[in-house]
Amino acid sequence: MLIDAHCHLGDGAFEQDRDAVLARAREAGVEHVVVIGGTLAESERAAELARARPGLSATAGIHPHDARHWSAEAAARLRDLLDRPESVAVGETGLDYHYDHSSREAQRRVFEAQLSLAGELGKPVVVHSRDADDDMAAILRHATAPVVLHSFSSGRGVFEAGMAIGAYFSFSGMITFKNWNPAVRPSDCPTDRLLVETDGPYLAPAPHRGQRNEPALVRVVAEVLARVRGESVVSVERYTTDNARRLFGPRLATIL
Ligand SMILES: [Zn+2]
């Protein structure tokens, strides 16, 4: 059993063969997929998919790339989406100073707004962080909702801020890349804070790098995580599944 804690299953890359993708996931032992929304449209799509099938949950949020589209109206629509039973978390939100598609000031404001919305609704927040360690660490310290640092690859400062608030660390196919040289290793993270994800259709693990990523490949991530932590795959499957259910709630017990 495995849970893919982060997949953009509503992406157009899955439009032609989504049922086959989910059948392959089931065959690989994936029981549940958290379908990520990073724009209002993607969040709407994630909710639709999750409503139609057991074994899928949705998140709703505004990615830092799109922080410039934040408005009172967008915030109200987000709140509506998060009210739905299939919706288990806020996000993906966060800071991305690598691409700077939105101004850094807008990114911080929109990230903080979603963090406080999550605190108010009592839902976890899915956080993206790239090249923004200082601001990320400073903002995380004030989080009032459970946080998951997705596709974790940040430095010591973000790790320590995350540890201070009991954050979860979600590892992706990046841990399988030859040039992966992390400041914080998966073995630095406590067992009860670890998750695995694909971030599909992006970040396919080696040896599939460059191809479309999909939930079945979360097994490759779990295998590499087990190897680098010196644990059995069965044990990684068990604790990452328990952690995802504790974090995201009872809907995660529904099975694909
Ligand atoms: Zn993502």
Side-chain angles (χ1 to χ4, degrees):
M1 56 176 166
L2 278 162
I3 290 177
D4 181 355
H6 191 116
C7 180
H8 296 265
L9 194 66
D11 193 278
F14 297 113
E15 217 44 64
Q16 299 308 315
D17 63 345
R18 199 171 279 108
D19 288 328
V21 164
L22 290 173
R24 280 197 292 276
R26 220 173 285 126
E27 239 161 77
V30 178
E31 292 191 338
H32 199 98
V33 179
V34 178
V35 184
I36 299 296
T39 63
L40 288 173
E42 196 192 10
S43 302
E44 202 89 59
R45 184 83 188 106
E48 247 166 57
L49 289 171
R51 205 172 320 130
R53 288 188 182 81
L56 300 180
S57 299
T59 74
I62 308 278
H63 193 280
H65 289 344
D66 287 289
R68 64 184 186 283
H69 300 308
W70 184 256
S71 64
E73 197 200 341
R77 276 188 67 199
L78 194 55
R79 202 179 264 275
D80 280 349
L81 281 161
L82 288 163
D83 258 346
R84 300 182 183 174
E86 58 274 8
S87 155
V88 294
V90 179
E92 134 174 35
T93 176
L95 302 174
D96 193 314
Y97 294 176
H98 180 77
Y99 287 109
D100 280 326
H101 287 333
S102 292
S103 77
R104 295 181 177 185
E105 199 273 323
Q107 291 188 43
R108 285 191 291 270
R109 190 160 36 82
V110 173
F111 177 35
E112 284 175 324
Q114 291 177 85
L115 273 180
S116 56
L117 179 60
E120 187 192 316
L121 300 174
K123 292 197 191 250
V125 195
V126 178
V127 174
H128 168 105
S129 182
R130 187 153 183 206
D131 293 353
D133 277 26
D134 291 351
D135 284 355
M136 178 54 65
I139 292 173
L140 281 183
R141 290 187 184 276
H142 303 291
T144 54
V147 163
V148 45
L149 293 161
H150 116 80
S151 192
F152 184 74
S153 58
S154 297
R156 232 47 236 182
V158 173
F159 176 68
E160 274 152 26
M163 287 296 288
I165 58 165
Y168 288 77
F169 301 92
S170 183
F171 285 92
S172 70
M174 279 173 76
I175 69 171
T176 70
F177 296 170
K178 263 206 198 79
N179 55 355
W180 192 60
N181 181 24
V184 178
R185 291 182 314 267
S187 43
D188 298 331
C189 300
T191 302
D192 65 351
R193 300 287 126 179
L194 281 162
L195 302 172
V196 283
E197 64 168 72
T198 56
D199 201 17
Y202 316 108
L203 292 180
H208 309 277
R209 198 170 176 182
Q211 298 166 22
R212 181 186 70 173
N213 196 5
E214 60 175 63
L217 295 178
V218 77
R219 172 157 298 283
V220 180
V221 178
E223 284 166 0
V224 172
L225 190 68
R227 192 165 71 230
V228 299
R229 283 174 56 92
E231 296 164 342
S232 71
V233 180
V234 172
S235 144
V236 168
E237 288 184 38
R238 194 174 302 130
Y239 68 69
T240 55
T241 297
D242 287 349
N243 294 345
R245 288 182 176 153
R246 186 186 328 112
L247 172 68
F248 292 114
R251 191 181 166 95
L252 275 275
T254 69
I255 289 174
L256 265 183

